[in-house]
Amino acid sequence: MKKKIFCTAFVLAFLSASSAFSQTPKSEEKILIAYYSLRNGNTRIAAEHIQKNVGGDIFRIETVQSYPSEYRAVTAQAKKEFDTGAWPDLKTQVKNFENYNVIYLGSPNWWGTIAPAVMRFLSTYDFSGKTIIPFITHEGSRMGQSEADIKKLAPKAELLPGIAIRGRSVNDAGADVENWLRKIGKLK
Ligand SMILES: Cc1cc2nc3c(=O)[nH]c(=O)nc-3n(C[C@H](O)[C@H](O)[C@H](O)COP(=O)(O)O)c2cc1C
C-alpha cells in the first residue's frame, strides 16, 4: 500500500514537473510573435516557422532611424548603442498589447545578445504576468546572453526556454522549430 502511494506521488510529481512549461492553457493563449530583423530576413523567417505551428499575430519591431547599409558600420553603431544604453526609438506600437499573454520574442544575436531594438521593445511594455519565449538567429554565438538580458528587462515575466537558429540555415529550420515547440509544450 505504502509503495502504491509512493509511486502515485512520484508520478504526480513527474507530471507536474513536465507540464511546468505550459502554465497558460492553450485555449487561453493570446499569442503575439514579435521580432526584430535588420533587413526583415532571417529572424522574420524564424517567426513565420513559429506562426505556422502556433498561430497568433506577427509584429515586426522596426526602428525610426534605419541602420547604415554597410555591415561594419552597423556593428559599430550597435556596439555604441550597447555601450551607452541609447537604444533606438521604435517606429510602431503593438495595438492592445495588454490582450496578449504569450509573447514569442525574436531577435538576431548582436554582439552576443538581443539587438538594441529588442531591448527598447522590452523596456516599452509591461510584461508582468506574461510568458516570453525567445527565438534567436545567429551565426555561431547561439543564444549568448539573450535570455539573461531578457530576464533583466522583463523581470516579472515567465521566461520559457528559447531556440537558437543558425541564420544561414533558417529556411530549413522548420523541423527544429516544431521539435522545440513540442518540448516546451506549445505545439497545437
Ligand atoms: C550588428 C551585428 C552583430 C552581430 N553579432 C553577432 C554575434 O555576436 N554572434 C553571432 O553569432 N552572430 C552575430 N551577428 C549575425 C546575426 O546574428 C545573424 O546573421 C542573424 O541571423 C541576422 O538576423 P536578421 O537577418 O534577422 O537580422 C551579428 C550581426 C549584426 C548585424
Side-chain angles (χ1 to χ4, degrees), residues 16-34:
S16 72
S18 61
S19 63
F21 287 153
S22 48
Q23 288 181 358
T24 312
K26 286 201 189 72
S27 57
E28 287 170 26
E29 287 185 347
K30 300 278 182 295
I31 297 173
L32 178 70
I33 304 168

Side-chain angles (χ1 to χ4, degrees), residues 37-38 41-43 71 74-75 108-112 137-141 167:
S37 177
L38 181 60
N42 296 340
T43 315
Y71 185 83
V74 179
T75 56
N109 180 322
W110 277 17
W111 288 98
T137 70
H138 67 96
E139 280 311 336
S141 308

Side-chain angles (χ1 to χ4, degrees), residues 39-90:
R39 314 253 179 256
N40 210 17
N42 296 340
T43 315
R44 171 184 57 83
I45 295 165
E48 289 170 355
H49 284 314
I50 294 170
Q51 193 190 35
K52 244 179 248 161
N53 286 284
V54 302
D57 300 330
I58 288 207
F59 176 79
R60 181 184 174 195
I61 300 168
E62 289 181 86
T63 56
V64 173
Q65 302 282 333
S66 25
Y67 281 92
S69 49
E70 208 260 315
Y71 185 83
R72 269 173 178 270
V74 179
T75 56
Q77 185 177 322
K79 177 85 170 60
K80 208 186 273 170
E81 289 171 357
F82 284 125
D83 290 348
T84 59
W87 305 325
D89 289 330
L90 302 183

Side-chain angles (χ1 to χ4, degrees), residues 31-35 42-58 102-107 133-137 162-165 170 173-174 176-178 180-181 184 186-188:
I31 297 173
L32 178 70
I33 304 168
Y35 72 94
N42 296 340
T43 315
R44 171 184 57 83
I45 295 165
E48 289 170 355
H49 284 314
I50 294 170
Q51 193 190 35
K52 244 179 248 161
N53 286 284
V54 302
D57 300 330
I58 288 207
V102 175
I103 294 123
Y104 290 83
L105 183 60
S107 178
I133 311 176
F135 59 101
I136 303 294
T137 70
I163 187 171
I165 301 169
V170 70
D176 289 345
V177 168
E178 203 176 315
W180 159 66
L181 289 168
I184 61 169
K186 292 296 179 193
L187 207 59
K188 295 274 172 198

